[in-house]
Amino acid sequence: MSTISEFLLKKDINAALAAFGCVMLTFVGIPGEILAAVIIALCTMTRGFKSGAVVLAFVALPAVAMLLHRELSPFDIIFLQCIFVWLLAGVLQKTQSWRLIFEVMALVSVIAVVLFHVFVANTAHFWVATVTHALTFVNTNLNANIDVTQVIQGISPLAPYMTGMMLF
């Protein structure tokens, strides 16, 4: 395990390419965004905000590419999660206070939920449409055979609570 961290911390580009590769695993259905967030946190906590920002920039590439095509994709959510991890890792590096990290996480989550409900009139409809779009994206790009209507029927009772579930 230490050889992997040594490789990632040797140069910023090593960590950036590794995180980019992990994010691209999403195309084949492997949740590599977790590893990408860990790599960002590792670089930020050991080498500082600037090093973490370089890695974060590479994680942003798929999201930016999809936005250039005017399409929302799962990469947008992955990028937002990685920004959040980067900021929290930087705060932890500077303050070395877990209590402050948990307070910031709770405060940002509550503010995000409130703002989301202020700007989105029907949150349940928003989440059903978002999940439908994401599953259609997966079906077309990965040649998957997911029954979208069955999944939507399953998540419809949970749709009003999905904003909080996504943040916590």
Side-chain angles (χ1 to χ4, degrees), residues 13-27:
I13 194 71
N14 291 353
L17 291 175
F20 176 75
C22 289
V23 168
M24 294 309 289
L25 289 174
T26 304
F27 267 126

Side-chain angles (χ1 to χ4, degrees), residues 114-155:
V114 168
L115 287 175
F116 185 79
H117 283 277
V118 165
F119 290 112
V120 177
N122 188 351
T123 58
H125 175 68
F126 172 84
W127 285 114
V128 168
T130 302
V131 170
T132 302
H133 178 73
L135 291 177
T136 305
F137 177 82
V138 169
N139 277 342
T140 56
N141 291 328
L142 298 178
N143 295 326
N145 193 15
I146 300 172
D147 185 8
V148 177
T149 57
Q150 186 177 5
V151 172
I152 296 304
Q153 287 174 350
I155 67 159

Side-chain angles (χ1 to χ4, degrees), residues 20 23-24 27 57-67 73 75-76:
F20 176 75
V23 168
M24 294 309 289
F27 267 126
F58 275 76
V59 170
L61 290 176
V64 170
M66 294 305 285
L67 286 176
S73 70
F75 296 115
D76 301 329

Side-chain angles (χ1 to χ4, degrees), residues 72-127:
L72 291 176
S73 70
F75 296 115
D76 301 329
I77 293 174
I78 293 169
F79 179 58
L80 290 175
Q81 289 172 342
C82 287
I83 288 174
F84 195 56
V85 167
W86 174 66
L87 290 172
L88 290 176
V91 169
L92 183 61
Q93 183 213 20
K94 296 290 183 197
T95 64
Q96 297 182 359
S97 169
W98 281 102
R99 185 179 64 83
L100 180 64
I101 293 299
F102 288 126
E103 289 173 359
V104 168
M105 284 175 23
L107 180 66
V108 168
S109 297
V110 167
I111 290 171
V113 168
V114 168
L115 287 175
F116 185 79
H117 283 277
V118 165
F119 290 112
V120 177
N122 188 351
T123 58
H125 175 68
F126 172 84
W127 285 114

